[in-house]
Amino acid sequence: MKSEQFVQKAYRCILQNDFEGALQWFEAAAAEDPGSAEIRYRCSVTYARSGRLEKALEHAHKACELDPEKSEYALNLHHLQSMRLVQDAKKVLDSGDMAPASELYQTVSGLKEAVRLDPLYGEAYIWLAVAYSQLNEHALAIASLKEAIALQPQDNGLHDMLDQLKNRLSAYLHDSTT
């Protein structure tokens, strides 16, 4: 069976919401045609949609290696790298314990890289705002959150979060003057 047939079977599986089956067919297609950047790219997208980020990154890297001129492969890779950086940041920021400032600054650095890699990934801006807020860098938190709101203007939760950050800034400024 040719790799194109495997890809067609993968898409049939996707239409039936059988993502595991689709991944098996994409992997079979990649094994049949290991030099196909397009198959690797499609496999990467399917892994990402299935929540399997490491495998998605593996295939995205391979697609970019095979066809470095294809911008959509690079955009996919950058988005996945940004997602990984945000996941790492969430572990620090959502741990329940207040991380030391040095770790928070490292997290901010990773989140800035996530934003650089994928400037349209709103979640990176949101977590950057959270990190800045934990560092009492409220003005930077507000600026980051405004970027997220520009990308997702209908998200009322972001507007509520912005109001909370503004209140924290006001309280912080009030406390520092007394």
Side-chain angles (χ1 to χ4, degrees):
M1 195 177 284
K2 294 187 181 202
S3 61
E4 301 89 38
Q5 292 171 314
F6 291 147
V7 169
Q8 287 175 357
K9 287 183 182 254
Y11 277 114
R12 277 192 221 114
C13 288
I14 289 170
L15 290 173
Q16 297 168 350
N17 290 321
D18 177 11
F19 296 103
E20 284 304 312
L23 289 169
Q24 289 174 358
W25 286 113
F26 277 129
E27 288 286 3
E32 179 75 21
D33 189 358
S36 172
E38 184 66 21
I39 290 171
R40 296 295 186 142
Y41 167 72
R42 292 177 187 195
C43 191
S44 171
V45 169
T46 305
Y47 270 118
R49 288 183 179 160
S50 298
R52 295 169 66 185
L53 187 56
E54 292 309 312
K55 288 295 280 183
L57 278 161
E58 178 185 314
H59 284 280
H61 276 289
K62 192 66 176 171
C64 287
E65 268 178 37
L66 292 168
D67 190 353
E69 300 301 315
K70 191 96 174 210
S71 63
E72 68 190 86
Y73 299 165
L75 288 172
N76 179 54
L77 176 59
H78 290 162
H79 176 69
L80 295 172
Q81 290 169 326
S82 182
M83 286 177 66
R84 182 199 283 154
L85 290 165
V86 168
Q87 280 184 352
D88 293 345
K90 283 181 183 180
K91 290 175 189 169
V92 172
L93 299 169
D94 255 358
S95 70
D97 299 325
M98 183 64 154
S102 61
E103 191 173 0
L104 289 173
Y105 280 113
Q106 247 182 320
T107 301
V108 164
S109 179
L111 288 165
K112 284 178 164 181
E113 177 65 5
V115 165
R116 186 194 67 76
L117 287 166
D118 187 354
L120 299 178
Y121 187 36
E123 196 170 347
Y125 292 101
I126 294 166
W127 286 99
L128 184 56
V130 170
Y132 277 135
S133 180
Q134 288 189 14
L135 286 164
N136 288 322
E137 299 281 353
H138 300 295
L140 292 171
I142 290 168
S144 295
L145 196 56
K146 284 182 176 181
E147 291 291 336
I149 290 170
L151 293 170
Q152 303 169 27
Q154 303 303 320
D155 188 331
N156 291 331
L158 294 179
H159 293 280
D160 293 342
M161 189 176 172
L162 181 61
D163 290 339
Q164 290 172 6
L165 286 174
K166 287 178 179 178
N167 290 337
R168 283 188 195 159
L169 175 60
S170 179
Y172 181 76
L173 292 174
H174 176 70
D175 288 347
S176 66
T177 59
T178 57

